[in-house]
């Protein structure tokens, strides 16, 4: 079977998202903050000199992008009718689950290391930037969905085969969450479903390929 479409089920159920990442129709989905103005970066982030400073700056950069996503999300949500707004909320909840599971996988190789926070927040930032792009004015896909899906399966299988069993489980959990997000987002987006599926699949493939190329196995 199509492994990226139907990955092997994880041995355990994914943990619930954190309470602060659980949206309601009235609140931003990515944080509990009422103020969505992006916070300024600390001055030390102009040239961080220590690993601790790099860790703080990576978190601060994520907070900026997260605040930007809240702005975009609220703007988009405010322009929708009730039914489509509900579909957007469902998609955003699924994206939050995917974001968390994906970044848990990405950081796991560095667990306990001093660089782990930079890896984790770097993943959170990139995943959030991808979500902003998808909510705003997404670019048309460069290939058909069938081709994009085939390429995703190739990259997914290559990455999975290089991982240890525990890391394979984490990847599977992230991929299952991504499939839910993909389907719910394209249900919300409407229009040309094949183009939506192809576009979001191309983004996922690019991120998995980066992980395959950057990880040390």
């Amino acid at each position: 079977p199509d492994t990226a479409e139907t990955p092997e089920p994880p041995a355990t159920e994914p943990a619930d998202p954190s309470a602060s990442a659980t949206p309601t129709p009235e609140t931003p989905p990515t944080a509990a903050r009422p103020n969505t103005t992006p916070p300024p970066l600390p001055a030390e982030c102009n040239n961080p000199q220590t690993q601790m400073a790099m860790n703080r700056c990576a978190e601060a950069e994520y907070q900026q992008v997260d605040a930007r996503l809240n702005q975009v999300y609220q703007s988009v949500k405010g322009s929708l009718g009730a039914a489509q707004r509900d579909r957007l909320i469902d998609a955003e909840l699924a994206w939050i689950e995917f974001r968390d599971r994906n970044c848990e996988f990405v950081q796991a190789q560095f667990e306990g290391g001093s660089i782990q926070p930079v890896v984790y927040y770097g993943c959170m930032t990139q995943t959030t930037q991808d979500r902003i792009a998808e909510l705003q004015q997404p670019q048309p896909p460069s290939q058909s969905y069938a081709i994009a899906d085939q390429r995703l399966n190739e990259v997914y299988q290559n990455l999975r085969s290089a991982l240890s069993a525990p890391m394979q489980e984490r990847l599977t959990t992230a991929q299952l969450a991504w499939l839910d997000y993909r389907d719910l987002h394209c249900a919300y987006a409407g229009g040309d479903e094949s183009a939506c599926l192809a576009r979001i699949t191309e983004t996922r493939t690019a991120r998995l390929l980066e992980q395959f190329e950057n990880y040390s196995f």
Side-chain angles (χ1 to χ4, degrees), residues 72-73 75-77 79-81 83-92 131 134-136 181-191 193 196 199:
V72 171
Y73 174 85
S75 176
V76 170
K77 190 180 73 172
S79 69
L80 302 176
Q84 195 175 14
R85 184 167 61 246
D86 288 345
R87 287 192 290 271
L88 173 64
I89 292 167
D90 289 343
E92 198 72 5
R131 181 61 178 153
E134 195 62 46
L135 284 173
Q136 288 185 310
Y181 159 58
R182 178 202 65 183
D183 293 347
L184 286 168
H185 174 75
C186 290
Y188 146 74
E193 184 180 19
C196 177
R199 184 179 61 245

Side-chain angles (χ1 to χ4, degrees), residues 55-112:
N55 294 347
R56 286 194 297 266
C57 292
E59 182 177 6
E61 288 171 5
Y62 165 64
Q63 289 172 349
Q64 280 197 325
V65 174
D66 181 56
R68 175 60 181 153
L69 173 58
N70 274 289
Q71 290 178 329
V72 171
Y73 174 85
Q74 293 296 345
S75 176
V76 170
K77 190 180 73 172
S79 69
L80 302 176
Q84 195 175 14
R85 184 167 61 246
D86 288 345
R87 287 192 290 271
L88 173 64
I89 292 167
D90 289 343
E92 198 72 5
L93 278 165
W95 173 79
I96 289 167
E97 179 74 4
F98 160 64
R99 177 202 64 189
D100 292 350
R101 302 305 156 222
N102 181 56
C103 293
E104 285 172 8
F105 162 71
V106 170
Q107 73 166 349
Q109 182 185 357
F110 305 92
E111 196 164 4

